[in-house]
Amino acid sequence: MSNQILVVVEHLKGNIEDITFEMLGKGKEISGSTGGELVALLMGSGVDGMASQLAIADKVIYVDDVNLAEYNPEAYGKTVSAVVTNIQPKMVMIGNTSMGMDIAGGVSVDQNMPFIAYVSGISADGNNVTSSLYGGKMNVDSSPSGDGLIISVVAGSFPADAGRADGSPDVETANAPDLSNLSLQFKQLIEPESGDVDITTQEILVSVGRGIQSDENLPMAEELAAKLGGAVSCSRPIVDNKWLSKTRQVGKSGLKVKPKLYLTLGISGAPEHIEGMKDADLIIAVNTDPNAPIFDYAHYGVVQDIFDLIPALNDKL
Ligand SMILES: Cc1cc2nc3c(=O)[nH]c(=O)nc-3n(C[C@H](O)[C@H](O)[C@H](O)COP(=O)(O)OP(=O)(O)OC[C@H]3O[C@@H](n4cnc5c(N)ncnc54)[C@H](O)[C@@H]3O)c2cc1C
């Protein structure tokens, strides 16, 4: 077992996702305190130019293969597993994202390595890991023993800026494993339909969650958004109920937003939602439950019934 920390780089349409930089920053802290090495694993086809953004790593392992050109859980999982077999890292960090959740379990079984999901905290020596479960309602501390550990990190847990560094890291090219007989094939990247308000460019978002109770109550949130000069966005249950279109959903399986003001109305603050809005300049949360996890992320919080607050705000504005 080496003293290396392997960070699996996640990228989409030419952009490295913030979760990668979060893990690189945290990985650097751990490798710094344990005298280890931070290694970034970059997979794709013709994406070697991205390595320059990973200069915080002591080394970048780059695997180029036509079967890695588009994200494919089977191809990516096999490649991560092959690299783990080669370098035997003491820790593998994967994003607790749609991609990471696809592949981490398979790599764990393949490598016979323990896997801790929903990680939101790691001690500086890497020996104590905190997982945030049940939408952030319960934290579980683990002190894994033995060699080798896979963790999937919840987006928003660590500062991304700590992992950003441009430069010329050492790049080692590695061959992909045999990816010729994949049972999964990439077909199509489905993006949100256009034609609606683009919530990613709005400076002010009034975001409604299940606390809004019914689509009949949406007009009061729309009135508030209009009076503030912004637009309405939402959590996933609102889209699942077909009260708003998918183009309004913020979060892991929705859109990432970075407005100047993000006002949440009846949103609990599940990690999948936080992933999409944690970078807003100012977060104000309204929720009747003082223990709602959203208050851990909000700059200002109001413990109040939205059906009292929204009409009062609308009157005032
Ligand atoms: C793979 C995966 C991807 C996901 N992707 C996303 C995603 O992209 N975006 C997303 O949002 N979720 C996503 N989810 C779902 C996520 O886990 C949560 O279930 C969801 O975010 C919860 O939405 P919510 O906060 O609106 O509802 P709830 O968790 O039910 O919270 C409702 C909140 O409203 C409060 N409330 C109730 N009544 C009032 C009132 N009158 N006044 C004030 N407060 C009130 C309650 O106290 C509660 O905190 C995903 C889940 C999975 C597994």
Side-chain angles (χ1 to χ4, degrees), residues 17-19 21-22 155-161 164 202-203 250 255-262 273-283 297 299:
E17 300 282 334
D18 274 1
I19 181 65
F21 297 115
E22 289 187 36
S157 301
F158 308 119
D161 283 348
R164 288 187 215 279
Q202 295 290 318
E203 294 199 337
V250 173
L255 293 165
K256 290 197 173 62
V257 296
K258 200 176 178 302
K260 287 192 173 149
L261 168 64
Y262 192 76
H273 187 81
I274 299 297
E275 191 174 329
M277 45 62 82
K278 64 185 169 50
D279 291 328
D281 290 346
L282 178 66
I283 300 168
Y297 301 91
H299 301 100

PDB file of all heavy atoms in Angstrom, residues 17-19 21-22 155-161 164 202-203 250 255-262 273-283 297 299:
ATOM      1  N   GLU A  17     -15.336  19.879 -12.700  1.00  0.00           N
ATOM      2  CA  GLU A  17     -16.376  20.216 -11.717  1.00  0.00           C
ATOM      3  C   GLU A  17     -15.733  20.656 -10.400  1.00  0.00           C
ATOM      4  O   GLU A  17     -14.670  20.155 -10.011  1.00  0.00           O
ATOM      5  CB  GLU A  17     -17.269  18.994 -11.458  1.00  0.00           C
ATOM      6  CG  GLU A  17     -17.975  18.470 -12.699  1.00  0.00           C
ATOM      7  CD  GLU A  17     -19.187  19.310 -13.101  1.00  0.00           C
ATOM      8  OE1 GLU A  17     -19.786  19.958 -12.231  1.00  0.00           O
ATOM      9  OE2 GLU A  17     -19.520  19.318 -14.291  1.00  0.00           O
ATOM     10  N   ASP A  18     -16.414  21.565  -9.695  1.00  0.00           N
ATOM     11  CA  ASP A  18     -15.898  22.094  -8.429  1.00  0.00           C
ATOM     12  C   ASP A  18     -15.556  21.001  -7.420  1.00  0.00           C
ATOM     13  O   ASP A  18     -14.629  21.146  -6.637  1.00  0.00           O
ATOM     14  CB  ASP A  18     -16.940  23.031  -7.792  1.00  0.00           C
ATOM     15  CG  ASP A  18     -16.804  24.443  -8.324  1.00  0.00           C
ATOM     16  OD1 ASP A  18     -15.922  24.663  -9.181  1.00  0.00           O
ATOM     17  OD2 ASP A  18     -17.577  25.313  -7.890  1.00  0.00           O
ATOM     18  N   ILE A  19     -16.337  19.916  -7.416  1.00  0.00           N
ATOM     19  CA  ILE A  19     -16.100  18.848  -6.440  1.00  0.00           C
ATOM     20  C   ILE A  19     -14.663  18.328  -6.544  1.00  0.00           C
ATOM     21  O   ILE A  19     -14.041  17.969  -5.539  1.00  0.00           O
ATOM     22  CB  ILE A  19     -17.138  17.697  -6.612  1.00  0.00           C
ATOM     23  CG1 ILE A  19     -16.924  16.593  -5.575  1.00  0.00           C
ATOM     24  CG2 ILE A  19     -17.108  17.111  -8.009  1.00  0.00           C
ATOM     25  CD1 ILE A  19     -17.155  16.986  -4.162  1.00  0.00           C
ATOM     26  N   PHE A  21     -11.987  20.098  -7.254  1.00  0.00           N
ATOM     27  CA  PHE A  21     -11.092  21.029  -6.558  1.00  0.00           C
ATOM     28  C   PHE A  21     -11.278  20.935  -5.037  1.00  0.00           C
ATOM     29  O   PHE A  21     -10.342  21.099  -4.273  1.00  0.00           O
ATOM     30  CB  PHE A  21     -11.319  22.452  -7.071  1.00  0.00           C
ATOM     31  CG  PHE A  21     -10.996  22.604  -8.536  1.00  0.00           C
ATOM     32  CD1 PHE A  21     -11.984  22.911  -9.451  1.00  0.00           C
ATOM     33  CD2 PHE A  21      -9.707  22.387  -9.001  1.00  0.00           C
ATOM     34  CE1 PHE A  21     -11.692  23.028 -10.801  1.00  0.00           C
ATOM     35  CE2 PHE A  21      -9.403  22.493 -10.352  1.00  0.00           C
ATOM     36  CZ  PHE A  21     -10.396  22.822 -11.257  1.00  0.00           C
ATOM     37  N   GLU A  22     -12.529  20.674  -4.618  1.00  0.00           N
ATOM     38  CA  GLU A  22     -12.756  20.479  -3.176  1.00  0.00           C
ATOM     39  C   GLU A  22     -11.923  19.298  -2.671  1.00  0.00           C
ATOM     40  O   GLU A  22     -11.278  19.362  -1.623  1.00  0.00           O
ATOM     41  CB  GLU A  22     -14.240  20.185  -2.905  1.00  0.00           C
ATOM     42  CG  GLU A  22     -15.156  21.368  -3.108  1.00  0.00           C
ATOM     43  CD  GLU A  22     -16.572  21.047  -2.647  1.00  0.00           C
ATOM     44  OE1 GLU A  22     -16.732  20.332  -1.652  1.00  0.00           O
ATOM     45  OE2 GLU A  22     -17.529  21.510  -3.299  1.00  0.00           O
ATOM     46  N   ALA A 155     -20.545  17.268  -2.269  1.00  0.00           N
ATOM     47  CA  ALA A 155     -20.167  18.586  -2.790  1.00  0.00           C
ATOM     48  C   ALA A 155     -20.537  19.675  -1.796  1.00  0.00           C
ATOM     49  O   ALA A 155     -21.582  19.615  -1.156  1.00  0.00           O
ATOM     50  CB  ALA A 155     -20.864  18.837  -4.123  1.00  0.00           C
ATOM     51  N   GLY A 156     -19.675  20.644  -1.641  1.00  0.00           N
ATOM     52  CA  GLY A 156     -19.932  21.745  -0.729  1.00  0.00           C
ATOM     53  C   GLY A 156     -19.321  21.522   0.640  1.00  0.00           C
ATOM     54  O   GLY A 156     -19.423  22.378   1.515  1.00  0.00           O
ATOM     55  N   SER A 157     -18.658  20.388   0.841  1.00  0.00           N
ATOM     56  CA  SER A 157     -18.092  20.089   2.163  1.00  0.00           C
ATOM     57  C   SER A 157     -16.787  20.831   2.422  1.00  0.00           C
ATOM     58  O   SER A 157     -16.473  21.168   3.558  1.00  0.00           O
ATOM     59  CB  SER A 157     -17.842  18.585   2.305  1.00  0.00           C
ATOM     60  OG  SER A 157     -19.047  17.874   2.147  1.00  0.00           O
ATOM     61  N   PHE A 158     -16.008  21.078   1.360  1.00  0.00           N
ATOM     62  CA  PHE A 158     -14.694  21.712   1.529  1.00  0.00           C
ATOM     63  C   PHE A 158     -14.572  22.859   0.531  1.00  0.00           C
ATOM     64  O   PHE A 158     -15.210  22.841  -0.525  1.00  0.00           O
ATOM     65  CB  PHE A 158     -13.568  20.688   1.268  1.00  0.00           C
ATOM     66  CG  PHE A 158     -13.715  19.419   2.060  1.00  0.00           C
ATOM     67  CD1 PHE A 158     -13.852  18.193   1.425  1.00  0.00           C
ATOM     68  CD2 PHE A 158     -13.748  19.449   3.441  1.00  0.00           C
ATOM     69  CE1 PHE A 158     -14.018  17.024   2.142  1.00  0.00           C
ATOM     70  CE2 PHE A 158     -13.917  18.285   4.176  1.00  0.00           C
ATOM     71  CZ  PHE A 158     -14.052  17.075   3.529  1.00  0.00           C
ATOM     72  N   PRO A 159     -13.716  23.854   0.849  1.00  0.00           N
ATOM     73  CA  PRO A 159     -13.590  24.977  -0.104  1.00  0.00           C
ATOM     74  C   PRO A 159     -12.914  24.547  -1.404  1.00  0.00           C
ATOM     75  O   PRO A 159     -11.836  23.937  -1.378  1.00  0.00           O
ATOM     76  CB  PRO A 159     -12.718  25.991   0.653  1.00  0.00           C
ATOM     77  CG  PRO A 159     -12.086  25.250   1.767  1.00  0.00           C
ATOM     78  CD  PRO A 159     -12.916  24.037   2.055  1.00  0.00           C
ATOM     79  N   ALA A 160     -13.554  24.861  -2.523  1.00  0.00           N
ATOM     80  CA  ALA A 160     -12.978  24.477  -3.824  1.00  0.00           C
ATOM     81  C   ALA A 160     -11.719  25.285  -4.121  1.00  0.00           C
ATOM     82  O   ALA A 160     -10.781  24.778  -4.742  1.00  0.00           O
ATOM     83  CB  ALA A 160     -14.019  24.678  -4.926  1.00  0.00           C
ATOM     84  N   ASP A 161     -11.692  26.550  -3.646  1.00  0.00           N
ATOM     85  CA  ASP A 161     -10.541  27.397  -3.984  1.00  0.00           C
ATOM     86  C   ASP A 161      -9.234  26.817  -3.459  1.00  0.00           C
ATOM     87  O   ASP A 161      -8.169  27.065  -4.023  1.00  0.00           O
ATOM     88  CB  ASP A 161     -10.746  28.816  -3.430  1.00  0.00           C
ATOM     89  CG  ASP A 161     -11.731  29.591  -4.300  1.00  0.00           C
ATOM     90  OD1 ASP A 161     -12.044  29.100  -5.413  1.00  0.00           O
ATOM     91  OD2 ASP A 161     -12.195  30.659  -3.866  1.00  0.00           O
ATOM     92  N   ARG A 164      -7.569  24.767  -6.222  1.00  0.00           N
ATOM     93  CA  ARG A 164      -7.325  25.309  -7.570  1.00  0.00           C
ATOM     94  C   ARG A 164      -5.888  25.793  -7.682  1.00  0.00           C
ATOM     95  O   ARG A 164      -5.438  26.603  -6.853  1.00  0.00           O
ATOM     96  CB  ARG A 164      -8.243  26.516  -7.827  1.00  0.00           C
ATOM     97  CG  ARG A 164      -9.678  26.152  -8.034  1.00  0.00           C
ATOM     98  CD  ARG A 164     -10.449  27.410  -8.452  1.00  0.00           C
ATOM     99  NE  ARG A 164     -11.795  27.386  -7.908  1.00  0.00           N
ATOM    100  CZ  ARG A 164     -12.792  26.718  -8.447  1.00  0.00           C
ATOM    101  NH1 ARG A 164     -12.598  26.035  -9.536  1.00  0.00           N
ATOM    102  NH2 ARG A 164     -13.984  26.744  -7.885  1.00  0.00           N
ATOM    103  N   GLN A 202     -29.588  34.240 -13.304  1.00  0.00           N
ATOM    104  CA  GLN A 202     -30.351  35.182 -12.470  1.00  0.00           C
ATOM    105  C   GLN A 202     -29.521  35.647 -11.272  1.00  0.00           C
ATOM    106  O   GLN A 202     -28.799  34.850 -10.671  1.00  0.00           O
ATOM    107  CB  GLN A 202     -31.625  34.511 -11.936  1.00  0.00           C
ATOM    108  CG  GLN A 202     -32.618  34.137 -13.013  1.00  0.00           C
ATOM    109  CD  GLN A 202     -33.271  35.351 -13.646  1.00  0.00           C
ATOM    110  OE1 GLN A 202     -33.634  36.302 -12.978  1.00  0.00           O
ATOM    111  NE2 GLN A 202     -33.416  35.312 -14.957  1.00  0.00           N
ATOM    112  N   GLU A 203     -29.648  36.916 -10.928  1.00  0.00           N
ATOM    113  CA  GLU A 203     -28.916  37.424  -9.758  1.00  0.00           C
ATOM    114  C   GLU A 203     -29.705  37.202  -8.475  1.00  0.00           C
ATOM    115  O   GLU A 203     -29.142  37.186  -7.382  1.00  0.00           O
ATOM    116  CB  GLU A 203     -28.618  38.911  -9.930  1.00  0.00           C
ATOM    117  CG  GLU A 203     -27.647  39.155 -11.075  1.00  0.00           C
ATOM    118  CD  GLU A 203     -26.979  40.500 -10.996  1.00  0.00           C
ATOM    119  OE1 GLU A 203     -27.542  41.404 -10.348  1.00  0.00           O
ATOM    120  OE2 GLU A 203     -25.896  40.633 -11.585  1.00  0.00           O
ATOM    121  N   VAL A 250     -32.863  23.235  -8.854  1.00  0.00           N
ATOM    122  CA  VAL A 250     -31.489  23.476  -8.400  1.00  0.00           C
ATOM    123  C   VAL A 250     -30.980  22.219  -7.711  1.00  0.00           C
ATOM    124  O   VAL A 250     -31.692  21.619  -6.905  1.00  0.00           O
ATOM    125  CB  VAL A 250     -31.475  24.664  -7.398  1.00  0.00           C
ATOM    126  CG1 VAL A 250     -30.112  24.839  -6.775  1.00  0.00           C
ATOM    127  CG2 VAL A 250     -31.934  25.938  -8.093  1.00  0.00           C
ATOM    128  N   LEU A 255     -29.803  22.124 -11.820  1.00  0.00           N
ATOM    129  CA  LEU A 255     -28.799  23.083 -12.288  1.00  0.00           C
ATOM    130  C   LEU A 255     -28.014  23.659 -11.115  1.00  0.00           C
ATOM    131  O   LEU A 255     -28.519  23.740  -9.990  1.00  0.00           O
ATOM    132  CB  LEU A 255     -29.506  24.214 -13.047  1.00  0.00           C
ATOM    133  CG  LEU A 255     -30.157  23.773 -14.366  1.00  0.00           C
ATOM    134  CD1 LEU A 255     -31.141  24.832 -14.863  1.00  0.00           C
ATOM    135  CD2 LEU A 255     -29.099  23.505 -15.426  1.00  0.00           C
ATOM    136  N   LYS A 256     -26.787  24.073 -11.413  1.00  0.00           N
ATOM    137  CA  LYS A 256     -25.967  24.764 -10.412  1.00  0.00           C
ATOM    138  C   LYS A 256     -26.160  26.266 -10.601  1.00  0.00           C
ATOM    139  O   LYS A 256     -26.060  26.759 -11.733  1.00  0.00           O
ATOM    140  CB  LYS A 256     -24.497  24.401 -10.589  1.00  0.00           C
ATOM    141  CG  LYS A 256     -24.175  22.988 -10.206  1.00  0.00           C
ATOM    142  CD  LYS A 256     -22.683  22.776 -10.005  1.00  0.00           C
ATOM    143  CE  LYS A 256     -22.414  21.397  -9.452  1.00  0.00           C
ATOM    144  NZ  LYS A 256     -22.831  20.308 -10.323  1.00  0.00           N
ATOM    145  N   VAL A 257     -26.435  26.968  -9.515  1.00  0.00           N
ATOM    146  CA  VAL A 257     -26.686  28.407  -9.612  1.00  0.00           C
ATOM    147  C   VAL A 257     -25.740  29.153  -8.679  1.00  0.00           C
ATOM    148  O   VAL A 257     -25.251  28.597  -7.690  1.00  0.00           O
ATOM    149  CB  VAL A 257     -28.156  28.743  -9.253  1.00  0.00           C
ATOM    150  CG1 VAL A 257     -29.116  28.107 -10.254  1.00  0.00           C
ATOM    151  CG2 VAL A 257     -28.511  28.306  -7.830  1.00  0.00           C
ATOM    152  N   LYS A 258     -25.485  30.425  -9.005  1.00  0.00           N
ATOM    153  CA  LYS A 258     -24.590  31.232  -8.178  1.00  0.00           C
ATOM    154  C   LYS A 258     -25.114  32.663  -8.159  1.00  0.00           C
ATOM    155  O   LYS A 258     -24.432  33.591  -8.586  1.00  0.00           O
ATOM    156  CB  LYS A 258     -23.167  31.175  -8.765  1.00  0.00           C
ATOM    157  CG  LYS A 258     -22.073  31.551  -7.794  1.00  0.00           C
ATOM    158  CD  LYS A 258     -20.718  31.370  -8.432  1.00  0.00           C
ATOM    159  CE  LYS A 258     -19.595  31.786  -7.521  1.00  0.00           C
ATOM    160  NZ  LYS A 258     -19.656  33.167  -7.058  1.00  0.00           N
ATOM    161  N   PRO A 259     -26.363  32.859  -7.678  1.00  0.00           N
ATOM    162  CA  PRO A 259     -26.926  34.212  -7.697  1.00  0.00           C
ATOM    163  C   PRO A 259     -26.339  35.077  -6.577  1.00  0.00           C
ATOM    164  O   PRO A 259     -25.675  34.565  -5.676  1.00  0.00           O
ATOM    165  CB  PRO A 259     -28.413  33.955  -7.447  1.00  0.00           C
ATOM    166  CG  PRO A 259     -28.421  32.726  -6.598  1.00  0.00           C
ATOM    167  CD  PRO A 259     -27.266  31.886  -7.063  1.00  0.00           C
ATOM    168  N   LYS A 260     -26.646  36.374  -6.624  1.00  0.00           N
ATOM    169  CA  LYS A 260     -26.230  37.253  -5.517  1.00  0.00           C
ATOM    170  C   LYS A 260     -27.080  36.964  -4.287  1.00  0.00           C
ATOM    171  O   LYS A 260     -26.617  37.066  -3.166  1.00  0.00           O
ATOM    172  CB  LYS A 260     -26.380  38.717  -5.940  1.00  0.00           C
ATOM    173  CG  LYS A 260     -25.316  39.118  -6.938  1.00  0.00           C
ATOM    174  CD  LYS A 260     -25.277  40.618  -7.139  1.00  0.00           C
ATOM    175  CE  LYS A 260     -24.086  40.972  -8.022  1.00  0.00           C
ATOM    176  NZ  LYS A 260     -24.324  42.137  -8.839  1.00  0.00           N
ATOM    177  N   LEU A 261     -28.360  36.649  -4.520  1.00  0.00           N
ATOM    178  CA  LEU A 261     -29.251  36.311  -3.394  1.00  0.00           C
ATOM    179  C   LEU A 261     -29.990  35.008  -3.709  1.00  0.00           C
ATOM    180  O   LEU A 261     -30.612  34.883  -4.776  1.00  0.00           O
ATOM    181  CB  LEU A 261     -30.278  37.431  -3.172  1.00  0.00           C
ATOM    182  CG  LEU A 261     -31.446  37.080  -2.222  1.00  0.00           C
ATOM    183  CD1 LEU A 261     -30.942  36.800  -0.810  1.00  0.00           C
ATOM    184  CD2 LEU A 261     -32.485  38.197  -2.191  1.00  0.00           C
ATOM    185  N   TYR A 262     -29.929  34.060  -2.781  1.00  0.00           N
ATOM    186  CA  TYR A 262     -30.688  32.809  -2.909  1.00  0.00           C
ATOM    187  C   TYR A 262     -31.570  32.707  -1.670  1.00  0.00           C
ATOM    188  O   TYR A 262     -31.083  32.493  -0.555  1.00  0.00           O
ATOM    189  CB  TYR A 262     -29.721  31.616  -2.996  1.00  0.00           C
ATOM    190  CG  TYR A 262     -30.401  30.318  -3.410  1.00  0.00           C
ATOM    191  CD1 TYR A 262     -30.767  30.098  -4.732  1.00  0.00           C
ATOM    192  CD2 TYR A 262     -30.663  29.319  -2.480  1.00  0.00           C
ATOM    193  CE1 TYR A 262     -31.390  28.920  -5.121  1.00  0.00           C
ATOM    194  CE2 TYR A 262     -31.280  28.131  -2.855  1.00  0.00           C
ATOM    195  CZ  TYR A 262     -31.640  27.938  -4.176  1.00  0.00           C
ATOM    196  OH  TYR A 262     -32.250  26.770  -4.568  1.00  0.00           O
ATOM    197  N   HIS A 273     -29.495  19.149  -2.785  1.00  0.00           N
ATOM    198  CA  HIS A 273     -29.911  20.517  -3.112  1.00  0.00           C
ATOM    199  C   HIS A 273     -28.748  21.486  -2.885  1.00  0.00           C
ATOM    200  O   HIS A 273     -28.473  22.345  -3.730  1.00  0.00           O
ATOM    201  CB  HIS A 273     -31.135  20.931  -2.278  1.00  0.00           C
ATOM    202  CG  HIS A 273     -31.688  22.258  -2.707  1.00  0.00           C
ATOM    203  ND1 HIS A 273     -32.520  22.389  -3.797  1.00  0.00           N
ATOM    204  CD2 HIS A 273     -31.480  23.513  -2.235  1.00  0.00           C
ATOM    205  CE1 HIS A 273     -32.811  23.672  -3.975  1.00  0.00           C
ATOM    206  NE2 HIS A 273     -32.181  24.370  -3.039  1.00  0.00           N
ATOM    207  N   ILE A 274     -28.069  21.303  -1.746  1.00  0.00           N
ATOM    208  CA  ILE A 274     -26.953  22.195  -1.399  1.00  0.00           C
ATOM    209  C   ILE A 274     -25.909  22.218  -2.517  1.00  0.00           C
ATOM    210  O   ILE A 274     -25.336  23.263  -2.831  1.00  0.00           O
ATOM    211  CB  ILE A 274     -26.294  21.720  -0.070  1.00  0.00           C
ATOM    212  CG1 ILE A 274     -27.317  21.752   1.073  1.00  0.00           C
ATOM    213  CG2 ILE A 274     -25.061  22.562   0.249  1.00  0.00           C
ATOM    214  CD1 ILE A 274     -27.865  23.108   1.413  1.00  0.00           C
ATOM    215  N   GLU A 275     -25.696  21.055  -3.130  1.00  0.00           N
ATOM    216  CA  GLU A 275     -24.702  20.943  -4.203  1.00  0.00           C
ATOM    217  C   GLU A 275     -24.918  21.980  -5.299  1.00  0.00           C
ATOM    218  O   GLU A 275     -23.959  22.454  -5.904  1.00  0.00           O
ATOM    219  CB  GLU A 275     -24.788  19.522  -4.785  1.00  0.00           C
ATOM    220  CG  GLU A 275     -23.670  19.171  -5.717  1.00  0.00           C
ATOM    221  CD  GLU A 275     -23.726  17.704  -6.149  1.00  0.00           C
ATOM    222  OE1 GLU A 275     -24.187  16.846  -5.371  1.00  0.00           O
ATOM    223  OE2 GLU A 275     -23.294  17.415  -7.268  1.00  0.00           O
ATOM    224  N   GLY A 276     -26.158  22.363  -5.513  1.00  0.00           N
ATOM    225  CA  GLY A 276     -26.454  23.279  -6.627  1.00  0.00           C
ATOM    226  C   GLY A 276     -26.454  24.745  -6.261  1.00  0.00           C
ATOM    227  O   GLY A 276     -26.498  25.586  -7.164  1.00  0.00           O
ATOM    228  N   MET A 277     -26.431  25.094  -4.942  1.00  0.00           N
ATOM    229  CA  MET A 277     -26.600  26.513  -4.599  1.00  0.00           C
ATOM    230  C   MET A 277     -25.610  27.027  -3.548  1.00  0.00           C
ATOM    231  O   MET A 277     -25.675  28.175  -3.153  1.00  0.00           O
ATOM    232  CB  MET A 277     -28.037  26.779  -4.104  1.00  0.00           C
ATOM    233  CG  MET A 277     -28.646  25.803  -3.119  1.00  0.00           C
ATOM    234  SD  MET A 277     -27.813  25.634  -1.525  1.00  0.00           S
ATOM    235  CE  MET A 277     -28.469  27.019  -0.617  1.00  0.00           C
ATOM    236  N   LYS A 278     -24.698  26.173  -3.140  1.00  0.00           N
ATOM    237  CA  LYS A 278     -23.804  26.520  -2.027  1.00  0.00           C
ATOM    238  C   LYS A 278     -22.920  27.730  -2.331  1.00  0.00           C
ATOM    239  O   LYS A 278     -22.433  28.387  -1.422  1.00  0.00           O
ATOM    240  CB  LYS A 278     -22.923  25.331  -1.663  1.00  0.00           C
ATOM    241  CG  LYS A 278     -21.981  24.935  -2.788  1.00  0.00           C
ATOM    242  CD  LYS A 278     -21.197  23.705  -2.504  1.00  0.00           C
ATOM    243  CE  LYS A 278     -20.474  23.201  -3.732  1.00  0.00           C
ATOM    244  NZ  LYS A 278     -19.689  24.175  -4.467  1.00  0.00           N
ATOM    245  N   ASP A 279     -22.716  28.036  -3.623  1.00  0.00           N
ATOM    246  CA  ASP A 279     -21.820  29.137  -3.982  1.00  0.00           C
ATOM    247  C   ASP A 279     -22.533  30.473  -4.128  1.00  0.00           C
ATOM    248  O   ASP A 279     -21.919  31.458  -4.545  1.00  0.00           O
ATOM    249  CB  ASP A 279     -21.083  28.804  -5.286  1.00  0.00           C
ATOM    250  CG  ASP A 279     -20.094  27.667  -5.083  1.00  0.00           C
ATOM    251  OD1 ASP A 279     -19.553  27.569  -3.965  1.00  0.00           O
ATOM    252  OD2 ASP A 279     -19.884  26.873  -6.017  1.00  0.00           O
ATOM    253  N   ALA A 280     -23.827  30.524  -3.799  1.00  0.00           N
ATOM    254  CA  ALA A 280     -24.548  31.806  -3.868  1.00  0.00           C
ATOM    255  C   ALA A 280     -23.874  32.797  -2.915  1.00  0.00           C
ATOM    256  O   ALA A 280     -23.404  32.424  -1.836  1.00  0.00           O
ATOM    257  CB  ALA A 280     -26.008  31.600  -3.482  1.00  0.00           C
ATOM    258  N   ASP A 281     -23.851  34.075  -3.328  1.00  0.00           N
ATOM    259  CA  ASP A 281     -23.176  35.082  -2.487  1.00  0.00           C
ATOM    260  C   ASP A 281     -23.867  35.228  -1.137  1.00  0.00           C
ATOM    261  O   ASP A 281     -23.217  35.341  -0.108  1.00  0.00           O
ATOM    262  CB  ASP A 281     -23.186  36.443  -3.195  1.00  0.00           C
ATOM    263  CG  ASP A 281     -22.269  36.447  -4.402  1.00  0.00           C
ATOM    264  OD1 ASP A 281     -21.447  35.514  -4.520  1.00  0.00           O
ATOM    265  OD2 ASP A 281     -22.386  37.369  -5.234  1.00  0.00           O
ATOM    266  N   LEU A 282     -25.208  35.257  -1.169  1.00  0.00           N
ATOM    267  CA  LEU A 282     -25.965  35.445   0.069  1.00  0.00           C
ATOM    268  C   LEU A 282     -27.116  34.447   0.087  1.00  0.00           C
ATOM    269  O   LEU A 282     -27.920  34.414  -0.842  1.00  0.00           O
ATOM    270  CB  LEU A 282     -26.522  36.882   0.123  1.00  0.00           C
ATOM    271  CG  LEU A 282     -27.373  37.223   1.346  1.00  0.00           C
ATOM    272  CD1 LEU A 282     -26.544  37.191   2.618  1.00  0.00           C
ATOM    273  CD2 LEU A 282     -28.005  38.608   1.184  1.00  0.00           C
ATOM    274  N   ILE A 283     -27.144  33.633   1.144  1.00  0.00           N
ATOM    275  CA  ILE A 283     -28.210  32.623   1.263  1.00  0.00           C
ATOM    276  C   ILE A 283     -29.071  32.983   2.472  1.00  0.00           C
ATOM    277  O   ILE A 283     -28.560  33.143   3.587  1.00  0.00           O
ATOM    278  CB  ILE A 283     -27.612  31.205   1.448  1.00  0.00           C
ATOM    279  CG1 ILE A 283     -26.730  30.839   0.245  1.00  0.00           C
ATOM    280  CG2 ILE A 283     -28.723  30.169   1.629  1.00  0.00           C
ATOM    281  CD1 ILE A 283     -25.873  29.595   0.441  1.00  0.00           C
ATOM    282  N   TYR A 297     -26.048  26.246   6.212  1.00  0.00           N
ATOM    283  CA  TYR A 297     -25.440  26.843   5.018  1.00  0.00           C
ATOM    284  C   TYR A 297     -25.875  28.290   4.814  1.00  0.00           C
ATOM    285  O   TYR A 297     -25.240  29.026   4.071  1.00  0.00           O
ATOM    286  CB  TYR A 297     -25.823  26.025   3.765  1.00  0.00           C
ATOM    287  CG  TYR A 297     -25.385  24.585   3.871  1.00  0.00           C
ATOM    288  CD1 TYR A 297     -26.223  23.612   4.412  1.00  0.00           C
ATOM    289  CD2 TYR A 297     -24.107  24.202   3.474  1.00  0.00           C
ATOM    290  CE1 TYR A 297     -25.821  22.294   4.538  1.00  0.00           C
ATOM    291  CE2 TYR A 297     -23.688  22.883   3.600  1.00  0.00           C
ATOM    292  CZ  TYR A 297     -24.561  21.935   4.131  1.00  0.00           C
ATOM    293  OH  TYR A 297     -24.140  20.640   4.265  1.00  0.00           O
ATOM    294  N   HIS A 299     -26.570  32.248   5.348  1.00  0.00           N
ATOM    295  CA  HIS A 299     -25.937  33.373   6.043  1.00  0.00           C
ATOM    296  C   HIS A 299     -26.929  33.984   7.033  1.00  0.00           C
ATOM    297  O   HIS A 299     -26.547  34.453   8.095  1.00  0.00           O
ATOM    298  CB  HIS A 299     -25.482  34.421   5.031  1.00  0.00           C
ATOM    299  CG  HIS A 299     -24.499  33.885   4.021  1.00  0.00           C
ATOM    300  ND1 HIS A 299     -24.852  33.506   2.750  1.00  0.00           N
ATOM    301  CD2 HIS A 299     -23.179  33.625   4.130  1.00  0.00           C
ATOM    302  CE1 HIS A 299     -23.783  33.050   2.095  1.00  0.00           C
ATOM    303  NE2 HIS A 299     -22.762  33.100   2.910  1.00  0.00           N
TER     304      HIS A 299
END
